[in-house]
Amino acid sequence: MTAVREEFTQTPDPLPRRAVRLAVLGDSTAVGLGDPVPGGSWRGVGPLVADALGIPPAGYLNTAFTGARMRCVRTDQLPAALHHRPDVAILIVGMNDTLRSDFDPLGLARDLEHVITALHGVGATVVTMRFHDHSRVFRLPGPLRRALTARIGELNDVIELITRRHGATCLDLGSLPGAYDLAAWSVDRLHPSELGHRLLARGVTELLADAGISVPSPVSLVCSGGVAPRTVDHVGWLVVKGIPWLWRRGRDLLPYAAAIVARSALDSWRARRVEPLELEPAEQ
């Protein structure tokens, strides 16, 4: 009787895919604000990721602009990104929406779903962001802090829902090592510093590597090539931009913050009105 030996071969893991086109969409963080370079321009997460992936200059596209909201990405930035046909698309947007009185989670969900679906349609691996609690970085009065934290929570719920639904990759910014260290933030405490952008870029590229994208040159956390801020930059920003920004955004958030305060006061009043019932002693 002839013995038959079955040989089982293990299928080797596929080789990482080389990305040759990268698109960055979003707001001022996507632009690179907070990471200035000589000459007065910005670098930021986009060029850092492009360098790590080995993206040639012709393959890099950044459609982001300051102040962009989710709808801006859908209507103003997405068409150019689709025409670029990226292998990887990084999407950093939503925080500006949390600071507006017309904040609309359902509208955000529709716009984000459209953007991710369209980018997937041209073959892109999409990386989105789940945002940190920025009130831990930029100090606000109590009611405004609670209002902003609640808004960020609603935004993150939308991002997590749509990201899971469509199988996109999502980076949790709040879980990045050093995310709440002051060194990770620029003089305005609104945008990442060079170190912060490097932390963000490293987080993105690690997720891309897990998704099978080749990362020939991992992102270094050693700051180089940027412009270090001076004390005068901190003071100048606070006077020229910081206080006016807080005034504008505070006014926009005030109705929502007032509603939170009123609801909290009402809950406290109701709690005080409800007294525990005392059982009368049973008659002997």
Side-chain angles (χ1 to χ4, degrees):
M1 183 175 180
T2 304
V4 178
R5 187 179 72 176
E6 296 184 10
E7 294 191 5
F8 297 91
T9 59
Q10 184 176 0
T11 303
D13 293 335
L15 294 175
R17 306 188 307 277
R18 168 91 190 283
V20 296
R21 289 184 299 277
L22 168 67
V24 178
L25 305 89
D27 54 25
S28 53
T29 296
V31 170
L33 263 66
D35 182 18
V37 291
S41 60
W42 306 101
R43 177 177 49 187
V45 60
L48 292 170
V49 171
D51 288 344
L53 299 182
I55 302 291
Y60 176 66
L61 174 70
N62 193 325
T63 66
F65 54 82
T66 59
R69 301 175 63 178
M70 192 75 75
R71 174 51 62 94
C72 301
V73 170
R74 176 176 180 171
T75 59
D76 302 331
Q77 301 182 26
L78 182 61
L82 295 177
H83 185 263
H84 187 61
R85 301 188 68 84
D87 301 300
V88 173
I90 301 172
L91 179 61
I92 309 175
V93 68
M95 286 296 288
N96 286 322
D97 290 276
T98 66
L99 300 170
R100 299 300 197 279
S101 56
D102 60 351
F103 180 75
D104 177 17
L106 291 179
L108 290 175
R110 287 191 294 268
D111 290 337
L112 180 59
E113 188 161 39
H114 178 87
V115 170
I116 292 178
T117 301
L119 289 169
H120 279 172
V122 296
T125 297
V126 180
V127 181
T128 62
M129 308 289 151
R130 184 186 189 280
F131 289 95
H132 58 289
D133 181 1
H134 202 71
S135 67
R136 292 174 57 182
V137 179
F138 193 100
R139 301 298 182 182
L140 294 170
L144 292 179
R145 183 181 68 252
R146 292 194 292 273
L148 179 58
T149 298
R151 283 276 179 84
I152 293 173
E154 292 182 79
L155 171 64
N156 284 336
D157 288 344
V158 167
I159 292 170
E160 289 179 356
L161 172 66
I162 302 303
T163 297
R164 285 198 305 268
R165 179 182 295 173
H166 294 280
T169 300
C170 186
L171 178 63
D172 185 354
L173 299 183
S175 68
L176 287 177
Y180 293 106
D181 293 346
L182 289 183
W185 295 95
S186 68
V187 296
D188 62 12
R189 296 294 181 264
L190 297 174
H191 302 97
S193 62
E194 178 183 349
L195 175 61
H197 278 283
R198 287 181 177 277
L199 288 168
L200 179 54
R202 187 173 70 170
V204 169
T205 53
E206 287 176 347
L207 288 180
L208 290 172
D210 291 341
I213 302 294
S214 174
V215 184
S217 304
V219 178
S220 171
L221 296 185
V222 177
C223 294
S224 63
V227 177
R230 302 162 298 170
T231 301
V232 66
D233 297 322
H234 290 262
V235 176
W237 179 87
L238 180 65
V239 173
V240 176
K241 293 187 177 180
I243 294 174
W245 180 90
L246 180 60
W247 172 247
R248 292 194 306 272
R249 293 297 167 256
R251 285 187 303 169
D252 219 18
L253 270 177
L254 272 177
Y256 183 61
I260 288 179
V261 172
R263 186 164 57 248
S264 176
L266 180 60
D267 290 342
S268 298
W269 178 79
R270 287 173 174 169
R272 289 195 299 269
R273 294 271 297 178
V274 177
E275 299 178 357
L277 297 177
E278 297 183 1
L279 296 177
E280 296 182 0
E283 296 182 2
Q284 301 294 328

